[in-house]
Structures are given as C-alpha cells and as structure tokens.
C-alpha cells in the first residue's frame, strides 16, 4: 500500500481535492458528451447537448484538474529542479497535457460542426468530436489508474 | 503493484464512474427541461442507461473495495470516523439517487404512454413532469453528498 496516501500532510489536501474534483468533472463531461453525441443519431438537440457538455463541463474540469495537479505536484516537491519524477506522475502529466490538446482539438472540430448544423449541413465534424472524446475518456481512465495505483 | 494498490486504483476509478454518472445526469436534467414531446424524451433513454451503468458500477465498486481497503490497510479501521461518515454518505446518496430516478421516470413513463396513444405532438403535462422541481432538488442533494464524500475521502477527518 502506498505509504504516501496514508501519511499525506494536511497542507496537501486542498490542492489534491481541487485536482481530483476537476478530474471528476472532466470525466463526467466527457461521459455526458460522448454519450449524447454517440446516441444522437443525427438529432440536432443531442448533438448540441454533447458539444456543450464538452465545452461547458469538460473544459473547466480540465483547467481545474491541471491547475490543481500543478499545485499538488509543487507541494510534494516534484517540480523542483533535479528531482526525478516518478512514473505515475509522468503518465499523469503526459496524459493531462496531450489530453488537453486533444480536448481543444475536439472542441474546435465540434464548434465548426455546430456552426455547420445551423447552416443545415452534415454532422461529420461532430463525429470527429465523438471519436476524440471517447479516446480522451479512455486515456483519462488510464491516468486515474496511474495516479491512484502509482505503479513503479 | 500489490493487490491493495490495485484495489485502491479500482476504488478510485469507481468513484470517477459514480461522479461521472452524476455529472451526466446534470446534463440530462438541463436538457430534459426543454423537452415537451414524447419522442424527444424517449430519445434520452440510452443516455440515461449509460448514466445508470456508471452510477451503479461506481456505487458498488466504491463500497466493496472501500470496505476491503478498510480491513486490509493496517493504518485504517472500519470504525474510523471518516470511514463511518463515508458509509453514511454513500447510503444517503444511494437513497436520494433512487428517489431522483423515480422523479424523472415519471416524465419518461408519460412519454411512453403518450407515444403508445399515438400522441406525438408537444404535451404541456409532459413538460411539467420533465421540469420536476423535486427531481432537481434531489439531484442537487445527491451531488452535495458526492462532494462531501470526496472531501471526506481526501481530508479524512479525525484519522
């Protein structure tokens, strides 16, 4: 059992809370977005619901998760120069940052997709958003496993 | 990774599934408020099933693995205040969640009833059921309970 989890100093709790809360909101938004886009079957209302779930829920969740992550990492001393970071933290940072870029990409594609829906055009770009959000959901579940299980 | 490390990882993943489901239901709570047609309401059913699966898997996973960890990890005991508080909050959240589901199922059942009767157009009665204020209050309480659970798990009061 990770000793760190059992004897964490109290001053680490609040940044950790913000980090985990943000990650949970992010995953919830991705779940809502992917489900709405996946079951929309061309229905404009559900395509919009899926896109707005990603924009209004996942994106703020990502910001909170990333900011909280940076804060708790600095509190734990992992961001100091010369301090080697553990594997689980590398996995977490990599997936958070690459995932953030993919989230932005999916939001840009989805934004154009919603714009095209207004013009009565197809929902192809929102299909791209769906695929990217499913990929992100999988990646963030791996990140949660790595952060919680802390593999060597 | 030891078995306990795996148990903790799956316990946390279960918590993410649970809160993910709660967030998904918030999206549906907002979306259903504008639905006054049986077709639009019924089309939400597959998304509701995803939310139910996430909440169900999350609730069982957090409880079973949480109890396992309470007994397995030497520094924790099942009678620790924060663990008892978590069990109480879990039970409260589950009970409130069931009542939330029942409140929103009234709209879904009405929509199916209207569809069976061949009434495909907008229904003010359906809109009232979909805008259930008790459902919103209950889901808010579920969310507060989930937030308190997360605070309890991280701050571990009197541990």
């Amino acid at each position: 059992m990770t000793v760190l989890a059992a004897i964490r100093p109290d001053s680490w709790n609040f940044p950790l809370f913000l980090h985990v809360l943000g990650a949970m909101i992010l995953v919830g938004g991705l779940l809502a977005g992917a489900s709405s886009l996946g079951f929309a079957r061309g229905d404009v209302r559900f395509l919009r619901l899926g896109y707005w779930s990603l924009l209004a829920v996942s994106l703020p969740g990502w910001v909170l998760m990333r900011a909280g992550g940076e804060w708790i990492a600095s509190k734990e001393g992992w961001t100091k120069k010369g301090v080697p970071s553990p594997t689980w933290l590398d996995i977490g940072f990599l997936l958070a940052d690459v995932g953030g870029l993919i989230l932005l990409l999916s939001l840009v594609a989805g934004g154009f997709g919603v714009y095209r829906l207004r013009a009565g055009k197809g929902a192809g770009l929102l299909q791209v958003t769906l695929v990217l959000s499913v990929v992100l959901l999988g990646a963030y579940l791996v990140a949660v496993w790595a952060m919680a299980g802390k593999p060597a | 990774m030891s078995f306990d490390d795996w148990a903790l990882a799956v316990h946390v993943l279960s918590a993410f599934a649970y809160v993910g489901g709660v967030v998904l239901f918030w999206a549906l709570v907002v979306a259903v408020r504008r639905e006054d047609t049986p077709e639009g309401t019924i089309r939400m059913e597959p998304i509701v099933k995803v939310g139910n699966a996430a909440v169900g898997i999350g609730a069982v996973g957090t409880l079973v693995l949480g109890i396992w960890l309470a007994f397995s990890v030497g520094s924790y005991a099942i009678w620790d205040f924060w663990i008892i508080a978590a069990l109480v909050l879990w039970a409260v959240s589950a009970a409130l969640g069931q009542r939330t589901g029942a409140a929103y199922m009234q709209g879904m059942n009405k929509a199916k009833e209207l569809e069976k009767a061949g009434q495909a157009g907008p229904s003010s009665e359906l809109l009232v059921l979909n805008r259930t204020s008790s459902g919103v209050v209950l889901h808010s309480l579920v969310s507060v309970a989930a937030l308190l659970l997360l605070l309890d798990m991280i701050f571990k009061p009197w541990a």
Side-chain angles (χ1 to χ4, degrees), chain B residues 17 20 30 39 52 72 84 86 97 101 105 128 146 156 159:
Chain B
V30 172
E39 186 256 347
N52 282 338
S72 180
I84 292 171
M105 278 312 289
V128 168
K156 295 181 175 52

Side-chain angles (χ1 to χ4, degrees), chain A residues 109-136:
Chain A
F112 280 114
V114 170
Y115 180 78
R116 281 169 59 86
L117 281 179
R118 273 194 218 129
K121 294 177 182 171
L125 281 170
L126 285 161
Q127 292 298 316
V128 173
T129 303
L130 167 63
V131 171
L132 291 176
S133 59
V134 170
V135 168
L136 274 179

Side-chain angles (χ1 to χ4, degrees), chain A residues 49, chain B residues 25-35 44 104:
Chain A
L49 175 65
Chain B
F25 280 126
W26 267 121
L28 289 180
V29 163
V30 172
V32 83
R33 291 184 69 80
R34 276 186 276 173
E35 284 301 339
M44 291 190 180
Y104 280 100

Side-chain angles (χ1 to χ4, degrees), chain A residues 5-69:
Chain A
I7 55 161
R8 187 175 55 235
D10 287 348
S11 64
W12 296 5
N13 286 339
F14 187 64
L16 180 63
F17 167 70
L18 291 183
H19 174 60
V20 176
L21 180 66
M24 284 178 158
I25 292 169
L26 167 64
V27 167
L30 285 170
L31 189 65
S35 305
S36 303
L37 291 170
F39 290 112
R41 294 187 199 118
D43 191 318
V44 174
R45 289 168 300 181
F46 289 92
L47 291 169
R48 284 197 180 129
L49 175 65
Y51 177 72
W52 281 101
S53 297
L54 294 176
L55 183 65
V57 182
S58 288
L59 187 61
W62 184 87
V63 171
L64 189 60
M65 177 274 294
R66 189 63 184 79

